[in-house]
Amino acid sequence: MAPVTDEINAAASNANIDRRGNDGIALTDVDVKRINPTVIKFKWSSHRRSPNRFTVWLRNVETQEHYKARATVWTSAGQLQIGLSSLNHKKGKYQLVLTKWNHYDDVYARSSTFKIRNSDFN
């Protein structure tokens, strides 16, 4: 019985538990639509302890630069579509990042990496 208890305790101590678990916003769907021009559609979930608003960024994975895609998004909306105008024709690997309002380093949610190509700006 002790080995099972040790495994449970080890798993609990290694869990990534932080305050975002109860007061943040979670991305539920991200879709890069390669139409002319390319847009990014995304959805999120929230709850009563979530903030009223947040900011949407496009983060270049290689350079770590953040480009503000939408300054203010109201949490209650639940979905949004953004363009690529904030990137100024900079191709690369990006992530969609939802952060505390106007604070790119206080992250609520981050998407998986996707590629932006030259053809996405046409």
Side-chain angles (χ1 to χ4, degrees):
M1 197 65 130
V4 172
T5 305
D6 291 342
E7 288 179 34
I8 292 170
N9 290 337
S13 66
N14 292 331
N16 183 12
I17 299 170
D18 62 7
R19 67 185 189 88
R20 291 289 178 240
N22 288 325
D23 71 347
I25 298 164
L27 277 168
T28 58
D29 187 40
V30 177
D31 190 15
V32 179
K33 293 283 192 184
R34 298 195 189 280
I35 54 179
N36 195 2
T38 296
V39 295
I40 302 168
K41 294 183 176 190
F42 60 100
K43 296 178 182 179
W44 63 87
S45 64
S46 61
H47 51 76
R48 63 180 179 80
R49 290 182 54 195
S50 296
N52 292 344
R53 62 185 176 176
F54 59 92
T55 300
V56 179
W57 305 82
L58 290 170
R59 175 183 168 265
N60 186 307
V61 175
E62 295 161 349
T63 66
Q64 305 299 310
E65 290 182 81
H66 288 74
Y67 302 92
K68 193 181 292 186
R70 186 66 61 96
T72 303
V73 177
W74 298 105
T75 304
S76 60
Q79 61 183 348
L80 190 65
Q81 173 179 303
I82 59 168
L84 303 178
S85 60
S86 65
L87 297 181
N88 296 321
H89 295 276
K90 295 177 184 166
K91 65 181 182 175
K93 294 179 182 176
Y94 287 88
Q95 291 176 324
L96 182 75
V97 182
L98 310 182
T99 69
K100 182 176 178 180
W101 186 71
N102 261 352
H103 295 277
Y104 73 84
D105 57 347
D106 194 352
V107 176
Y108 293 128
R110 183 177 291 147
S111 75
S112 58
T113 302
F114 53 88
K115 240 182 177 175
I116 299 297
R117 305 176 192 117
N118 281 333
S119 60
D120 291 326
F121 296 103
N122 295 335

